[in-house]
């Protein structure tokens, strides 16, 4: 699986990239038919404390999977986004099994 992490209008963070890569690789071990992951990390414009946004798009057989979440820090947002994607992948796996 190819992982592309983009920091939108902010400084890059090697530690955050490693954490996200590690979590996505765990997801890949469960669902080895994932082709590519596009991760976008950006700061929102709102004044609320939950303005750090993580968006992940997965390429897999069938339509692309997409999830996004906001939180007070990027790590929490990434974990929530990956949990959403895992739920979508389980549904996709059930559909693929039935065919």
């Amino acid at each position: 699986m190819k992982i592309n992490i983009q920091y939108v209008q902010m400084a890059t963070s090697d530690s955050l990239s490693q954490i996200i890569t590690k979590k996505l690789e765990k997801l890949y071990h469960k669902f080895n038919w994932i082709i590519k992951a596009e991760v976008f990390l950006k700061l929102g414009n709102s004044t609320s404390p939950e303005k750090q946004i993580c968006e992940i798009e997965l390429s897999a057989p069938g339509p692309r999977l997409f999830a996004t979440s906001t939180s007070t820090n990027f790590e929490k947002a990434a974990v929530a986004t990956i949990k959403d994607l895992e739920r979508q992948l389980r549904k996709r796996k059930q559909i693929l099994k039935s065919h």
Side-chain angles (χ1 to χ4, degrees), residues 6-95:
Q6 296 181 13
Y7 293 86
V8 180
Q9 295 181 351
M10 57 182 281
T12 61
S13 168
D14 289 335
S15 61
L16 184 59
S17 295
Q18 289 174 355
I19 291 168
I20 292 171
T21 301
K22 186 175 163 184
K23 294 197 179 292
L24 284 172
E25 285 175 352
K26 281 184 184 179
L27 195 64
Y28 176 72
H29 288 298
K30 289 181 185 178
F31 307 97
N32 61 356
W33 35 271
I34 300 171
I35 300 166
K36 181 173 74 168
E38 292 280 341
V39 182
F40 300 96
L41 299 168
K42 53 188 168 184
L43 292 170
N45 293 332
S46 70
T47 56
S48 72
E50 292 191 355
K51 64 178 182 178
Q52 297 183 1
I53 303 167
C54 176
E55 297 177 348
I56 301 177
E57 183 179 292
L58 293 180
S59 295
R64 291 186 182 189
L65 301 170
F66 179 79
T68 184
S69 62
T70 59
S71 185
T72 54
N73 68 31
F74 285 114
E75 222 176 297
K76 289 180 184 178
V79 168
T81 305
I82 291 171
K83 282 183 183 180
D84 288 345
L85 286 170
E86 187 173 1
R87 197 172 315 119
Q88 292 179 36
L89 286 165
R90 275 195 230 117
K91 288 180 183 179
R92 172 83 50 94
K93 189 174 183 178
Q94 291 299 321
I95 292 170

